[in-house]
């Protein structure tokens, strides 16, 4: 076939592979959350994730039991069902058979679009964490208080923090650029370049999608239900004399336990 020798949008193979690679790469590199390092990602093949939240129970100290020799009493943990239904995020472009098209640029744009929509929804959920106390001597005092409140709620695991872009300067002027310096402990450009440092042992990241607030949370505060990670499909569109290029993501984030996170709201 004569057209097989041409390099243009008409050649699906020439378009599909680099466009897909660029889409997936851009989406994950520019997202704080799709990689699952801050909020755990759980596969949900049918698009619905049910996360059980089990209440704490009390242990028995056998060495001081009231009735020696009696079987250990059983305990039953109360459970709360948390259902996360995956959303469908998509971005579409049409590439006509005109040649001189760089498919990686199309992939970057589509990947960034999908990841931006998802991160914006995560920021919305972050703002629903337990309200923290603001107005301390400095923003550091507020963060210290948030960490203390989470620890008081018996969350002793690793905590993470997300700072809105408009508070970045305030936080950095309070902690300095070297004393709390970050590092390359995380994968993904957004996590590496977005890490502004660690406060009270909490790695802090800056986000463009959080507005005038700081979120501090443990990994069990939220879950991401993932039906299908970032993907890209190409289909012939004769009416446009070209190809439809569609990037998509089937996922959603849900709040599981608000007491394992604190949101400091500075918008008032």
């Amino acid at each position: 076939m004569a057209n097989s020798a041409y390099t243009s949008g008409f050649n699906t193979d020439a378009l599909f592979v680099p466009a897909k690679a660029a889409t997936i790469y851009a989406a994950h590199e520019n997202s704080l959350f799709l990689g699952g390092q801050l909020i755990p990602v759980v596969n949900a093949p049918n698009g619905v994730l049910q996360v059980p939240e089990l209440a704490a129970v009390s242990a028995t100290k056998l060495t001081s039991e009231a009735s020696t020799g009696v079987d250990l009493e059983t305990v039953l943990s109360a459970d709360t069902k948390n259902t996360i239904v995956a959303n469908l995020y998509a971005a579409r472009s049409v590439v006509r058979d005109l040649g001189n098209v760089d498919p990686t640029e199309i992939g970057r744009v589509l990947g960034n679009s999908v990841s931006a929509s998802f991160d914006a929804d995560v920021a919305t959920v972050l703002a629903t964490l337990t309200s923290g106390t603001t107005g301390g001597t400095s923003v550091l005092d507020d963060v210290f208080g948030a960490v203390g409140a989470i620890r008081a709620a018996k969350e002793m695991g690793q905590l993470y923090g997300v700072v809105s872009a408009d508070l970045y300067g305030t936080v950095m002027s309070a902690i300095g650029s070297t004393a709390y310096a970050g590092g390359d402990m995380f994968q993904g450009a957004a996590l590496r370049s977005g890490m502004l440092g660690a406060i009270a042992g909490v790695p802090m990241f800056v986000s463009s999608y959080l507005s005038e607030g700081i979120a501090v949370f443990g990994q069990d505060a939220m879950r991401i239900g993932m039906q299908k990670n970032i993907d890209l499909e190409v289909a012939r569109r004769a009416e446009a004399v070209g190809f439809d290029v569609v990037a998509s993501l089937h996922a959603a984030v849900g709040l599981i336990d608000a007491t394992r996170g604190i949101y400091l709201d500075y918008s008032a």
Side-chain angles (χ1 to χ4, degrees):
M1 182 177 179
N3 286 329
S4 62
Y6 297 166
T7 302
S8 71
F10 187 75
N11 186 330
T12 308
D13 292 334
L15 169 70
F16 181 80
V17 176
K20 181 169 184 175
T23 299
I24 296 173
Y25 179 81
H28 281 272
E29 285 292 292
N30 291 284
S31 173
L32 283 177
F33 307 105
L34 281 177
Q37 291 169 291
L38 304 189
I39 302 174
V41 174
V42 181
N43 288 330
N46 65 348
V48 179
L49 176 65
Q50 184 169 289
V51 182
E53 180 185 349
L54 300 178
V57 297
S58 299
T60 300
K61 186 164 60 174
L62 295 179
T63 51
S64 59
E65 59 184 339
S67 302
T68 305
V70 177
D71 288 346
L72 177 66
E73 289 292 332
T74 60
V75 293
L76 177 62
S77 177
D79 68 297
T80 301
K81 298 178 182 178
N82 297 277
T83 302
I84 301 174
V85 180
N87 295 314
L88 174 58
Y89 302 84
R92 170 177 171 257
S93 182
V94 174
V95 181
R96 281 187 162 162
D97 304 337
L98 296 177
N100 196 29
V101 176
D102 184 354
T104 60
E105 289 301 312
I106 300 169
R108 286 182 61 254
V109 171
L110 296 180
N112 287 337
S113 174
V114 173
S115 65
S117 294
F118 181 75
D119 277 23
D121 281 352
V122 176
T124 299
V125 174
L126 289 176
T128 64
L129 293 168
T130 302
S131 296
T133 301
T134 59
T137 305
S138 70
V139 67
L140 286 184
D141 288 339
D142 295 341
V143 173
F144 294 152
V147 173
I150 296 173
R151 297 308 189 198
K154 299 181 173 57
E155 169 56 80
M156 298 306 295
Q158 177 65 57
L159 302 180
Y160 296 101
V162 177
V163 179
S164 62
D166 42 33
L167 289 176
Y168 176 83
T170 302
V171 174
M172 289 304 296
S173 63
I175 67 177
S177 60
T178 57
Y180 296 82
D184 290 333
M185 59 186 292
F186 294 95
Q187 296 179 353
L191 291 171
R192 290 194 303 270
S193 61
M195 185 177 179
L196 56 86
I199 301 175
V202 180
M204 307 292 289
F205 303 87
V206 63
S207 171
S208 303
Y209 308 105
L210 204 61
S211 178
E212 296 184 77
I214 299 175
V216 181
F217 55 91
Q219 286 197 317
D220 287 334
M222 292 162 285
R223 283 290 186 275
I224 293 174
M226 183 69 69
Q227 181 180 10
K228 183 183 179 184
N229 216 314
I230 298 290
D231 199 3
L232 184 132
E233 298 174 276
V234 177
R236 182 65 184 171
R237 183 174 176 81
E239 299 88 341
V241 196
F243 284 88
D244 264 327
V245 184
V246 180
S248 63
L249 168 69
H250 302 244
V253 62
L255 181 65
I256 304 302
D257 187 352
T259 64
R260 296 178 186 268
I262 295 289
Y263 182 70
L264 303 170
D265 189 355
Y266 293 91
S267 62

